[in-house]
Amino acid sequence: MDADLAETLPARIHGVGTSQIGMVADRGRHDPEVIKLWIGEGDLPTPPFIVEAAHRAMLAGETRYTYSRGLPALHQALSDYHRRHWKVEVAPERFAITAGGMNAIMQTCQALLEPGDEVIIPAPGWPNLAEAVRVAGGVPVPVAYQQAEGGRFTLALQDILAAVTPQTRILVVNSPSNPTGWVMPLAEMEALRDAARERGLWILSDEVYNHFTYGNAIAPSFLQVTTPTDRLIVTNTFSKNWAMTGWRAGWVTYPEGLAATFSKLGQYNTTSIPTFIQHAAVAALEQGDAFIRTMVGRCVESRAILVEGLSRIRGVTVFPPEGAFYLMVWVDTGETSLDLAFRLLREAKVGVAPGTAFGPQGEGFLRICFAISPELAREAVARLARVLSKPV
């Protein structure tokens, strides 16, 4: 009966894929012996000053409905945050608060897509982007990263533009990228901006990992090279920078004139996220820069441990990321990446994400999250080396 009912659902829902990350995680989620590196989540708890801000807000009665677009104080804190880190002026009325980065992307798709509109997405890419497009009735169009000398990924502007058709509506950029670690240079952002303007296309820029870079500066933002009236939407989340994955708080930055649109979308998606969580988000923005530096510093060290250690294993090729906190690793065992992820879970007690979780372009790869302590990174390398060094 359940299968028959499922057949009656809309085609766009039938096309939504099952998360392979979830498939692996569900087999070891409650095993305390597993080192869990499959999901985009650090191992630090939410900082106490954020938790305490939420607690104070609850005790003060901040537990009722509020503006669907979010608290004005949070809009102002976001404006100040962007001025501080990217030297850009973004008016407070250009922000809407969402239930995490995923809801930010979903609301963007709801706002921009008509059925059949095409959305160009770099691949391999975070699967939720493509699935949000499908749920909204759009058509995801993958454009493959290239692998450059020196073991890194690149994305050519000409490859993006070659995929544009009369049905194209949105160009997606995720920089720093999940899972490849690619970072789009500012000059390429300017070139893509110009191409989008010429063609009347929207840019959806997912900038969740801006602070997680392994050079001398944070990653650039499209807000640095656009005007308030450009067809640009930037999505972001409190999850990564401030260890708030379970709080489900994010934001959208949209062009002038769309505040009423995103107010309505917020109303009919979630009404609003909890008021006390928004007060915690204000604390994160105003007091959390030092915590971000701590997170990035740990990632720098753990990244180096994993890159060096895994590079020594025969049959393993490591692609050191420029940004984000994931390592893409090519493993030549003859298995599918999903089968290998299951085997590493069983034999090494290490949970990793199969490359095909990010599209068919990820076959042969594993994605490993290194937002962990250096000690845990060393243990993960030792366990993986013991298993991958043995013949299959």
Side-chain angles (χ1 to χ4, degrees), residues 27-382:
R27 293 199 185 182
R29 196 180 299 275
H30 299 296
D31 187 338
E33 295 182 12
V34 172
I35 299 177
K36 300 172 176 66
L37 310 180
W38 44 45
I39 200 166
E41 186 171 52
D43 63 344
L44 289 177
T46 305
F49 69 88
I50 296 175
V51 176
E52 290 161 6
H55 187 211
R56 287 195 303 271
M58 284 189 280
L59 293 176
E62 297 287 352
T63 57
R64 305 177 70 83
Y65 291 131
T66 188
Y67 305 98
S68 60
R69 203 169 53 81
L71 293 175
L74 183 48
H75 299 157
Q76 184 61 55
L78 282 167
S79 182
D80 296 341
Y81 168 79
H82 284 80
R83 183 185 306 111
R84 188 165 69 248
H85 290 288
W86 289 277
K87 307 297 188 290
V88 295
E89 293 294 332
V90 185
E93 58 268 21
R94 290 181 58 200
F95 297 106
I97 309 307
T98 61
M102 184 65 244
N103 183 235
I105 288 168
M106 186 63 77
Q107 288 193 32
T108 300
C109 291
Q110 291 167 343
L112 299 185
L113 292 178
E114 295 279 8
D117 283 348
E118 293 179 352
V119 179
I120 293 175
I121 304 176
W126 185 45
N128 297 35
L129 273 163
E131 301 309 333
V133 169
R134 288 193 179 94
V135 169
V139 180
V141 177
V143 172
Y145 288 98
Q146 304 299 319
Q147 294 168 27
E149 291 184 12
R152 63 187 183 89
F153 290 89
T154 63
L155 184 63
L157 179 62
Q158 60 266 30
D159 291 345
I160 296 174
L161 298 182
V164 173
T165 74
Q167 286 72 48
T168 303
R169 177 72 166 166
I170 304 173
L171 308 176
V172 170
V173 176
N174 173 213
S175 172
S177 160
N178 171 16
T180 66
W182 166 79
V183 177
M184 190 175 214
L186 199 65
E188 292 184 16
M189 288 183 169
E190 292 173 332
L192 190 65
R193 171 207 64 194
D194 292 344
R197 284 174 175 171
E198 180 182 343
R199 293 163 174 78
L201 300 175
W202 285 84
I203 294 174
L204 166 55
S205 183
D206 178 5
E207 301 185 1
V208 167
Y209 300 98
N210 280 78
H211 288 284
F212 293 88
T213 58
Y214 307 102
N216 296 320
I218 62 176
S221 168
F222 267 97
L223 293 167
Q224 294 172 277
V225 300
T226 53
T227 71
T229 58
D230 273 312
R231 296 185 182 191
L232 168 73
I233 290 185
V234 179
T235 56
N236 217 314
T237 184
F238 289 88
S239 293
K240 314 299 182 180
N241 292 342
W242 301 283
M244 295 175 68
T245 51
W247 295 68
R248 308 316 305 136
W251 72 90
V252 175
T253 310
Y254 45 76
E256 289 179 348
L258 293 188
T261 298
F262 277 91
S263 181
K264 288 183 283 189
L265 287 170
Q267 179 68 44
Y268 302 130
N269 272 274
T270 59
T271 303
S272 69
I273 73 165
T275 311
F276 55 87
I277 288 179
Q278 296 190 53
H279 284 279
V282 171
L285 291 165
E286 294 182 343
Q287 305 172 45
D289 285 359
F291 182 77
I292 294 174
R293 290 192 292 272
T294 297
M295 286 272 287
V296 173
R298 293 169 94 245
C299 286
V300 168
E301 190 171 351
S302 296
R303 171 184 179 274
I305 291 166
L306 283 160
V307 168
E308 180 182 2
L310 296 177
S311 295
R312 295 176 179 173
I313 303 172
R314 188 170 60 184
V316 173
T317 304
V318 178
F319 292 77
E322 300 172 77
F325 46 59
Y326 307 104
L327 196 61
M328 286 291 272
V329 179
W330 175 269
V331 185
D332 185 12
T333 64
E335 300 162 276
T336 68
S337 62
L338 182 59
D339 286 343
L340 178 57
F342 282 137
R343 184 163 70 88
L344 292 174
L345 181 61
R346 291 193 309 270
E347 299 179 13
K349 292 288 186 177
V350 177
V352 299
T356 45
F358 309 93
Q361 298 83 1
E363 184 59 275
F365 288 93
L366 300 173
R367 190 201 71 173
I368 299 172
C369 176
F370 57 82
I372 54 175
S373 70
E375 295 74 21
L376 200 59
R378 292 188 186 95
E379 177 61 21
V381 166

